[in-house]
Amino acid sequence: MSENKTADIYYAVKQGREPGIYQTWKEAEKQTYLFSGADVKKFTLLADAEAYLNTPNPFTIEEVVCGAHKVNNDISVAVTSSFETGRTFLLDSGEYTVSFALLEALTDYLETYLSEHLYKPSVLRIVVGDTHAYNILASYLEKWKSNLFMTTKGPAPHPELLEALYTVLHRFNSYEPVFNKYHPLYVECQKQARGH
């Protein structure tokens, strides 16, 4: 190595506006400055920076919150999270109930998130205020998957959606469904869904 050449430096931003690997402190700082819980570390090897990003923090809990509202034949679903800005989905309810529209929007949101980010939280907490969606997330989904999406009364509704939801949830280290209609982000999601 010549004396004039500087070593490569990589900044792995694990918690920030846009987690990823940056080659200058200025770029990394943009992602972490005034960001609550920011996590950035400097490396000289790209492989080490990538490994760091893919290692979950032992106590990282991120929340995804879903709210839905039905008007006539349209269902509006808002999904937001503690790690990213929200998205609002408008679905024709001809095919889905509110519960399944909410689960489809959640699946789409998480698939998009995973395709755009290297970082995954160690625990994904999913907050919903819909009882049926909560029951599917908390117990039915695992049972139905083990029975090839068959219930005691016959095929589970929307098996393709349930399979996609099961698959995306199991790409996270663990997930925890929570029923809470009073969670601040849930209240915000309900407002977004109603205002769409």
Side-chain angles (χ1 to χ4, degrees), residues 61-77:
I61 297 175
E62 301 290 2
E63 293 180 323
V64 174
V65 184
C66 309
H69 184 69
K70 182 175 181 176
V71 177
N72 299 325
N73 285 335
D74 291 328
I75 299 174
S76 178
V77 180

Side-chain angles (χ1 to χ4, degrees), residues 33-46:
Y33 182 70
L34 296 177
F35 186 89
S36 178
D39 183 357
V40 62
K41 193 169 179 181
K42 182 170 124 178
F43 295 91
T44 56
L45 296 174
L46 179 59

Side-chain angles (χ1 to χ4, degrees), residues 6-191:
T6 60
D8 288 333
I9 302 291
Y10 302 96
Y11 296 92
V13 175
K14 195 175 228 182
Q15 289 278 82
R17 288 173 189 81
E18 286 291 325
I21 298 172
Y22 298 89
Q23 292 189 297
T24 68
W25 171 245
K26 187 176 181 177
E27 292 173 316
E29 186 180 37
K30 284 181 187 176
Q31 305 309 318
T32 58
Y33 182 70
L34 296 177
F35 186 89
S36 178
D39 183 357
V40 62
K41 193 169 179 181
K42 182 170 124 178
F43 295 91
T44 56
L45 296 174
L46 179 59
D48 290 344
E50 290 170 341
Y52 177 72
L53 281 183
N54 290 316
T55 303
N57 290 336
F59 302 109
T60 305
I61 297 175
E62 301 290 2
E63 293 180 323
V64 174
V65 184
C66 309
H69 184 69
K70 182 175 181 176
V71 177
N72 299 325
N73 285 335
D74 291 328
I75 299 174
S76 178
V77 180
V79 183
T80 194
S81 68
S82 58
F83 51 83
E84 191 173 60
T85 57
R87 297 185 181 134
T88 302
F89 302 82
L90 182 63
L91 303 166
D92 179 3
S93 64
E95 183 179 352
Y96 291 130
T97 62
V98 170
S99 301
F100 279 95
L102 191 145
L103 295 174
E104 175 164 309
L106 173 64
T107 302
D108 291 348
Y109 184 88
L110 294 175
E111 286 174 344
T112 301
Y113 173 81
L114 289 171
S115 71
E116 295 174 352
H117 299 85
L118 292 173
Y119 167 77
K120 291 187 284 190
S122 53
V123 177
L124 178 68
R125 183 176 292 148
I126 304 165
V127 180
V128 295
D130 180 271
T131 307
H132 189 55
Y134 170 77
N135 288 334
I136 289 170
L137 291 165
S139 64
Y140 299 156
L141 187 63
E142 296 292 330
K143 290 176 189 173
W144 291 345
K145 172 64 176 172
S146 67
N147 291 321
L148 302 174
F149 296 104
M150 292 296 289
T151 71
T152 56
K153 297 179 182 178
H158 311 292
E160 299 84 15
L161 168 60
L162 294 171
E163 178 74 43
L165 176 62
Y166 179 90
T167 300
V168 75
L169 288 174
H170 284 83
R171 289 180 59 200
F172 288 89
N173 300 311
S174 72
Y175 70 94
E176 171 187 300
V178 175
F179 181 82
N180 185 347
K181 287 187 174 188
Y182 304 104
H183 188 288
L185 287 177
Y186 177 78
V187 172
E188 185 59 35
C189 277
Q190 286 297 101
K191 287 179 187 175

